[in-house]
Amino acid sequence: MRRVGYGLIFLSMFFLLFTGCATFKPVDLNPRINSGQLVQKTNNFVVLFDKSASMNDMHGKPRFVGNPTRLIYAKDTTKNMIATMPDISLNAGLRTFWAEKTVLIYGMAPLNKEDYTKAVNSIEMVNSRTDLGKAITAAGFDLRGAPGNSALIIVSDFDMSPVVGDIKNVPDIRHEVVIDAISRVNTEYGDKLCVYAIQLGYTQEGKDLSEQIVQNVAGGYTINADRLENPAVMATFVEKVISGNCDRYQRYVAKPVEKLVIVVADEPIVQEKVVAVAAVAADKVVVLAFEDIHFDFDKSTLKPEAKAILKRNIQILKDNPKAKVRIAGYTSASGTNEYNQSLSERRAAAVQEYLISEGLISSDRLSTIGYGETDPTMYEAAPKELYSKAAKANMRALFQIIVQ
């Protein structure tokens, strides 16, 4: 009886592991296309698919059964993306890369979802290095002569190979080669090309390289594959690809305005020190130090400790009546881009309301902005860990100050 029980449990776990992708139900984007709400501006796309040795590592996403390899998770993500594509005319390509090789295994040809999915299913793991730079260069040739606008979608861990022969952790992705290749492609295509980086795994090195890639093109966007498991998030991502919605990556990062100085302090700085800093500033910009405040998960209400901090910040504002404040709200990585953007704006607004109602700070000295989950103060290795140290650090609002 016990053997039968164990057998049933094993079969159930096996079924869940290998049929997990079947639970993905793509959002139907055809009504949005037909109604004109979603306008197609992208005519061509190429997926660069990493099948090097490091893709055999675990993706790192928590599951009841276990973690799939990055390769398996990447294949599921790519197939889900294709399933979400609306019924429109697209010229498509699928190019794998590994070692010093790169092969176009589909296209360039009109997108046929069934054939494209078969091509994705045919991808197998190899034990070798990653030559992303060569693949990017080859994709530039794939798109050459294609009419209209194009998308380059890179599906990779952007990380080193764990083992090559007897050598461990080989730094086989040469960042300078990758950046040179993407810069050359960007020079050729300019604003006719959007680049999307889908990261597998959660290594900081991989995240850094994916961000560097999209920072070096006319338009780019990066996201972890884990977030695309949600059909609604995948639909939003596909809409970006279809509509060519890929503003420069820098626009998603909090940037100071002209002469803006941002200082965040764990403890308040005494005013005498602040004045001393201002006295030596050549452009007569006064530097003020403010503490940032933090929120509970999915909340925009001010906690008692946040109000105590704001009272100290209010006093600094009263002591510097020429100061104008921009309040920037942020969130952790859990949740959709759209929801986090809204939440970050609500957090900034809550701070503004408190400054006006409790501190009697004039509204014409205040402005707010929300940055969602962009520009985190700490990298979140596992976004689904809602109360991790990094997540708590990112649920914040900070002050951006300028005094002329």
Side-chain angles (χ1 to χ4, degrees), residues 172-228:
D172 58 326
I173 292 188
R174 295 167 56 192
H175 289 208
E176 67 279 5
V177 174
V178 173
I179 299 305
D180 179 68
I182 199 66
S183 297
R184 290 175 181 272
V185 171
N186 178 65
T187 298
E188 180 175 357
Y189 292 96
D191 59 8
K192 290 185 176 294
L193 178 69
C194 288
V195 178
Y196 305 90
I198 301 176
Q199 182 194 3
L200 281 301
Y202 288 98
T203 67
Q204 184 65 50
E205 180 180 355
K207 182 175 185 292
D208 290 344
L209 180 57
S210 69
E211 291 182 346
Q212 289 174 31
I213 289 171
V214 298
Q215 287 170 1
N216 281 272
V217 294
Y221 181 79
T222 182
I223 191 170
N224 193 283
D226 197 18
R227 299 196 58 210
L228 296 177

Side-chain angles (χ1 to χ4, degrees), residues 105-177:
I105 63 173
Y106 181 96
M108 299 290 294
L111 175 62
N112 180 295
K113 291 185 179 182
E114 183 178 354
D115 292 343
Y116 200 102
T117 299
K118 288 180 180 178
V120 174
N121 285 332
S122 72
I123 299 174
E124 296 180 350
M125 173 61 61
V126 294
N127 185 25
S128 60
R129 301 182 180 185
T130 311
D131 199 339
L132 177 54
K134 178 175 288 188
I136 291 173
T137 300
F141 286 106
D142 296 335
L143 295 170
R144 187 166 294 170
N149 299 317
S150 300
L152 176 60
I153 305 169
I154 307 174
V155 182
S156 173
D157 56 9
F158 303 95
D159 201 5
M160 66 180 67
S161 294
V163 178
V164 177
D166 296 327
I167 305 174
K168 295 184 178 180
N169 295 324
V170 179
D172 58 326
I173 292 188
R174 295 167 56 192
H175 289 208
E176 67 279 5
V177 174

Side-chain angles (χ1 to χ4, degrees), residues 194-369:
C194 288
V195 178
Y196 305 90
I198 301 176
Q199 182 194 3
L200 281 301
Y202 288 98
T203 67
Q204 184 65 50
E205 180 180 355
K207 182 175 185 292
D208 290 344
L209 180 57
S210 69
E211 291 182 346
Q212 289 174 31
I213 289 171
V214 298
Q215 287 170 1
N216 281 272
V217 294
Y221 181 79
T222 182
I223 191 170
N224 193 283
D226 197 18
R227 299 196 58 210
L228 296 177
E229 181 186 43
N230 184 312
V233 177
M234 176 63 83
T236 300
F237 177 79
V238 170
E239 286 187 356
K240 285 181 178 290
V241 174
I242 296 300
S243 64
N245 179 14
C246 62
D247 287 342
R248 287 193 65 83
Y249 182 77
Q250 288 89 333
R251 295 184 187 178
Y252 294 100
V253 180
K255 294 292 184 181
V257 299
E258 184 180 5
K259 291 187 178 180
L260 181 66
V261 179
I262 303 174
V263 181
V264 179
D266 292 331
E267 297 294 336
I269 297 178
V270 296
Q271 190 64 26
E272 288 76 8
K273 293 184 179 179
V274 173
V275 173
V277 173
V280 300
D283 55 3
K284 296 183 179 179
V285 174
V286 177
V287 180
L288 304 178
F290 288 82
E291 301 168 80
D292 56 353
I293 64 170
H294 292 85
F295 297 84
D296 287 333
F297 174 72
D298 198 25
K299 301 294 183 183
S300 59
T301 53
L302 298 174
K303 299 188 290 185
E305 54 267 36
K307 292 180 180 180
I309 291 172
L310 289 179
K311 288 179 180 178
R312 294 196 289 267
N313 291 348
I314 286 171
Q315 188 59 51
I316 295 178
L317 287 172
K318 289 183 175 180
D319 292 342
N320 295 272
K322 293 183 179 180
K324 291 190 175 182
V325 182
R326 184 170 71 176
I327 305 158
Y330 298 84
T331 71
S332 61
S334 177
T336 66
N337 291 339
E338 292 74 16
Y339 186 84
N340 286 340
Q341 178 61 37
S342 176
L343 177 58
S344 68
E345 293 171 1
R346 295 199 301 273
R347 286 174 172 171
V351 173
Q352 180 187 45
E353 181 179 350
Y354 187 85
L355 295 179
I356 294 173
S357 62
E358 298 295 326
L360 301 179
I361 303 299
S362 175
S363 61
D364 61 4
R365 298 175 61 191
L366 308 175
S367 61
T368 63
I369 190 169

Side-chain angles (χ1 to χ4, degrees), residues 35-83:
S35 67
Q37 293 177 298
L38 175 59
V39 178
Q40 178 185 1
K41 294 183 180 179
T42 299
N43 309 97
N44 323 282
F45 75 89
V46 177
V47 171
L48 297 185
F49 195 102
D50 183 357
K51 66 171 193 174
S52 63
S54 61
M55 292 290 282
N56 198 39
D57 284 353
M58 296 296 102
H59 171 64
K61 174 184 175 299
R63 279 190 174 180
F64 175 76
V65 176
N67 292 327
T69 64
R70 296 173 184 174
L71 183 83
I72 292 174
Y73 205 79
K75 290 170 71 171
D76 286 348
T77 300
T78 304
K79 289 185 289 186
N80 292 343
M81 179 184 70
I82 296 301

